[in-house]
Amino acid sequence: MTVYAAGAVCWRLDGDRVRVLVIHRTMRNDISLPKGKVEPGETLPETAVREVLEETGLAIDLGVPLGVTSYTMPNNRDKVVYYWAAEVPAGLYATAEFQPNEEVTALEWLSLRKAKKMLTYERDVEVLERFQLLVDQGVSRTFALIALRHAKTIPGSEFDGPDTDRPLTHRGRTEANVIVPALSAFGPDVVIASDARRCLETVTPFSEAAEVRVRSTHLISQDAFEDGTSDVRRVVAKRVRKLRSAILCAHGPVLPEIVREVGLAAGGTRQASLARAGDLPVAGFSVLHLSLDQPGSGIIAIETHVPQLG
């Protein structure tokens, strides 16, 4: 059985120089990037955030995905590790507290060049090289726009009332709670939702957990989309200009337009990628990573996640 794990390239600016974090593991006699195995019920982004916190004391938000490494462990089981970039702001770096433990005995912040020389495993070096491409292009600092489809809703044929008032089913309410940790992993501090009840109920658990107010709007509702009064471009353009990570919760027919408008506002991107990112199951979401320093450089990366229900 394949073992799945997740971790991050934690990085910070020291003046104008990039420093990355490596961990020293005395028991394994190696130097590596922080990572760890997925626990039952976790999504990969949730695992990455938890493992970094446990191993380094840093409560990170995930940035751009950096791909996957795979290898065979000494017990002959295959292991697949997913990585993200994660910028560590100056305030977090100054206040974080690391306590040596059974697994990690020391942390070290190194230049990219030195880190690549110090890392024990070539696979970790390859992850750093992917990150260095972002640095070299000037797009390592990012924010995320998260396109979220509402959770499972009572079918219109079974609901006696206006479509906009249809509530979530019991499964839908479960989905809305299950996705909270995965959404939180990307650090959104703004929530925009269609004014339909099913969208508002979907984002309520995240809103309450993150203590973020939900801003509802008719402009990305299904009713407005179908009668021609929606204004997806206006809503998306504002979010791109703000340069802040945000959730945009809407409906199946509206989400492809939301994703398309993000691509246009960010300077254009491959249409095939955008089409896939907008085609979401209930409670699924796509994370569109955009550059903070070069907002017109297009979408830097796209990733899609779906709820994991037992």
Side-chain angles (χ1 to χ4, degrees), residues 5-11 20-23 32-36 44-45 47-49 51-53 55-56 60-64 66 81-88 127-128 131:
V9 173
C10 300
W11 68 279
V20 294
L21 182 67
V22 300
I23 61 174
S32 67
L33 301 173
K35 67 178 184 301
L44 289 159
T47 299
V49 170
E51 284 289 342
V52 170
L53 179 61
E55 292 190 346
T56 72
I60 59 167
D61 296 328
L62 300 181
V64 175
L66 296 174
V81 188
Y82 290 74
Y83 285 96
W84 283 262
E87 182 178 9
V88 177
V127 174
L128 276 193
F131 173 66

Side-chain angles (χ1 to χ4, degrees), residues 92-114:
L92 176 58
Y93 170 70
T95 58
E97 295 185 3
F98 168 71
Q99 296 293 332
N101 52 64
E102 290 183 357
E103 185 167 3
V104 181
T105 52
L107 308 180
E108 197 169 7
W109 289 93
L110 304 171
S111 68
L112 276 164
R113 184 176 180 179
K114 188 169 184 180

